[in-house]
C-alpha cells in the first residue's frame, strides 16, 4: 500500500523541523505525556522530575521534557478550551506517526499515553472541594469530534440520546458527544481513591456553563436539568472544558487518554476556593507515580 503523504498546507513544519503550533520536534516527543491548561503549571509538574532535558514555549503551549523515576516523560500546557485540544492532539499524533522528512504516515503506529490534570466545578452537592474526579465518560458540548469520520464508532450513542432528550437540548448548539476514557488508564491512575465521573466539556466558561453575569442565558434552567439527569444510575458530576475532545480524538487515533480534575467549586452549593494549589500538587504527584 502506498503511504499517505501529508501536504505542507495540512501539516506545517517550521524551519527548525518542529511542528507548527507546539514547536516540538519528533526527537523530543515522549510516550508518556502530562497535559495541563495553565502554562505556569508545567513548571510545577516538572519540579517533580528527576531531570529536565528540554523546554519549549510557543504561545500558550509550554513544554518541559525530562525523566521521572528513570522513565522519559513530558508535560505540555494546552491552554483553555476544546479548540486548543484539537491542535495539541493532532500535532502530538503527527510527531509520533508522520515522518517529518518525507511527510509520509509511518507504517508502524506509535501509541501515546496522555493524562490531563485540571480543575473543575462540581454539579452534585456531595462532591467536596479538593475531590479528584476522573472523566470516565466525557460529554462534549464543543462539537469538535463531529468534524471527524468515525465519530459514532467511539461515542456512547445511547447516552447521547438520553441526555439530549432529558435536558431539552437547544438545536442551535453543536450536537453533544459522549466518549469513554481509556479503561486501563482509568484503573491504573484512579484506583479506589478517585471519583469516577460523567464530566461535561463546555465550549466556554460563562454562558456555556450556565454562569450569568450581565448577559441573560438562552436556557437558564439547563444546569438544573443536567444535575437531575441520570443514565444507568449515574449522574453528571462536573464541568470543565477539555476532556471530551482529548478522549474522543485519542480514541479515534488509537492513543490512551483520560482527564482527572480537582474540584475547586461546587455549583450546586455555590462554594468555591481559589486556594486549590495544595490539592493540585498532591494530585500531580499521584498521577506521576501511576502513569
Amino acid at each position: 500500500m502506498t503511504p499517505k503523504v501529508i501536504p505542507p498546507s495540512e501539516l506545517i513544519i517550521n524551519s527548525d523541523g518542529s511542528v507548527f503550533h507546539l514547536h516540538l520536534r519528533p526527537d523530543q516527543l515522549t510516550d508518556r505525556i502530562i497535559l495541563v491548561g495553565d502554562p505556569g503549571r508545567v513548571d510545577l509538574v516538572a519540579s517533580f522530575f528527576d531531570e529536565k532535558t528540554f523546554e519549549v514555549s510557543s504561545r500558550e503551549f509550554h513544554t518541559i521534557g525530562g525523566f521521572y523515576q528513570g522513565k522519559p516523560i513530558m508535560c505540555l500546557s494546552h491552554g483553555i478550551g476544546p479548540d486548543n485540544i484539537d491542535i495539541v492532539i493532532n500535532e502530538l499524533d503527527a510527531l509520533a506517526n508522520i515522518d517529518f522528512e518525507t511527510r509520509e504516515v509511518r507504517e508502524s503506529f506509535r501509541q501515546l499515553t496522555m493524562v490531563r490534570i485540571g480543575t473543575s466545578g462540581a454539579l452534585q452537592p456531595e462532591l467536596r472541594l479538593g475531590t479528584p474526579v476522573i472523566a470516565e465518560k466525557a460529554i462534549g458540548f464543543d462539537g469538535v469530534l463531529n468534524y471527524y469520520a468515525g465519530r459514532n464508532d467511539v461515542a456512547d450513542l445511547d447516552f447521547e440520546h438520553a441526555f439530549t432528550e432529558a435536558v431539552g437540548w437547544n438545536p442551535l448548539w453543536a450536537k453533544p458527544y459522549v466518549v469513554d476514557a481509556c479503561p486501563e488508564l482509568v484503573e491504573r491512575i484512579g484506583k479506589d481513591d478517585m471519583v469516577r465521573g460523567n464530566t461535561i466539556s463546555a465550549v466556554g466558561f460563562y454562558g456555556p456553563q450556565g454562569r450569568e453575569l450581565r448577559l441573560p442565558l438562552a436556557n437558564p434552567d439547563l444546569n438544573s436539568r443536567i444535575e437531575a439527569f441520570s443514565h444507568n444510575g449515574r449522574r453528571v458530576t462536573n464541568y470543565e472544558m477539555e476532556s471530551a475532545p482529548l478522549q474522543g480524538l485519542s480514541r479515534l487515533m488509537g492513543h490512551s487518554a483520560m482527564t482527572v480534575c480537582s474540584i475547586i467549586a461546587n455549583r450546586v452549593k455555590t462554594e468555591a476556593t481559589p486556594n486549590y494549589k495544595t490539592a493540585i500538587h498532591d494530585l500531580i504527584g499521584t498521577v506521576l507515580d501511576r502513569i
Side-chain angles (χ1 to χ4, degrees):
M1 182 181 293
T2 303
K4 182 177 181 180
V5 178
I6 312 298
S9 60
E10 309 306 285
L11 175 63
I12 302 172
I13 299 174
N14 300 316
S15 59
D16 63 354
S18 64
V19 72
F20 185 55
H21 294 94
L22 303 184
H23 277 254
L24 293 173
R25 301 188 313 271
D27 62 284
Q28 294 172 315
L29 183 68
T30 62
D31 290 339
R32 299 180 307 153
I33 303 168
I34 301 294
L35 298 170
V36 295
D38 182 0
R41 194 171 293 159
V42 174
D43 293 293
L44 174 59
V45 175
S47 71
F48 286 78
F49 292 178
D50 307 324
E51 177 187 355
K52 302 175 190 176
T53 54
F54 72 87
E55 182 169 4
V56 176
S57 289
S58 174
R59 309 185 195 193
E60 61 266 61
F61 308 115
H62 178 204
T63 309
I64 297 178
F67 290 86
Y68 181 76
Q69 295 182 349
K71 297 178 181 179
I73 195 166
M74 56 189 276
C75 181
L76 164 65
S77 64
H78 50 68
I80 298 175
D83 49 343
N84 279 13
I85 296 296
D86 182 64
I87 291 171
V88 168
I89 303 307
N90 272 286
E91 293 196 358
L92 288 174
D93 179 74
L95 289 165
N97 293 300
I98 296 174
D99 188 319
F100 274 31
E101 295 294 329
T102 65
R103 294 184 166 274
E104 294 180 351
V105 176
R106 299 183 187 276
E107 291 185 10
S108 59
F109 173 68
R110 180 180 177 185
Q111 186 182 60
L112 304 176
T113 297
M114 295 171 282
V115 177
R116 189 181 97 76
I117 301 173
T119 56
S120 182
L123 288 169
Q124 300 300 332
E126 68 273 12
L127 289 174
R128 296 178 298 176
L129 302 183
T131 301
V133 177
I134 290 175
E136 189 168 32
K137 283 189 183 294
I139 307 160
F141 283 8
D142 50 271
V144 165
L145 209 66
N146 299 338
Y147 290 88
Y148 292 91
R151 171 248 198 251
N152 285 359
D153 297 333
V154 300
D156 185 335
L157 301 181
D158 289 339
F159 191 115
E160 290 176 12
H161 178 74
F163 180 82
T164 53
E165 288 291 315
V167 304
W169 190 255
N170 189 327
L172 295 176
W173 300 337
K175 179 178 173 58
Y177 59 94
V178 180
V179 187
D180 290 345
C182 171
E184 184 277 330
L185 201 53
V186 168
E187 290 303 312
R188 185 179 358 142
I189 300 295
K191 298 190 182 298
D192 59 356
D193 54 0
M194 297 180 185
V195 172
R196 267 58 162 186
N198 293 332
T199 299
I200 291 172
S201 293
V203 72
F205 185 77
Y206 290 97
Q209 293 189 36
R211 290 184 171 91
E212 183 173 328
L213 302 185
R214 287 204 317 114
L215 291 178
L217 301 174
N219 293 68
D221 63 341
L222 178 64
N223 272 6
S224 61
R225 293 187 181 192
I226 292 172
E227 291 156 17
F229 171 74
S230 177
H231 185 68
N232 293 331
R234 292 178 56 180
R235 296 185 181 275
V236 176
T237 48
N238 57 313
Y239 263 127
E240 50 83 82
M241 297 174 65
E242 293 91 13
S243 62
L246 166 63
Q247 294 173 191
L249 291 172
S250 295
R251 286 181 70 87
L252 285 176
M253 293 176 183
H255 301 300
S256 298
M258 60 162 277
T259 289
V260 57
C261 289
S262 179
I263 297 298
I264 67 168
N266 190 299
R267 303 294 301 282
V268 180
K269 300 172 73 173
T270 65
E271 297 175 344
T273 175
N275 302 315
Y276 54 85
K277 292 185 178 180
T278 299
I280 285 290
H281 182 278
D282 294 343
L283 183 57
I284 289 169
T286 298
V287 171
L288 285 171
D289 284 342
R290 297 175 181 177
I291 191 173

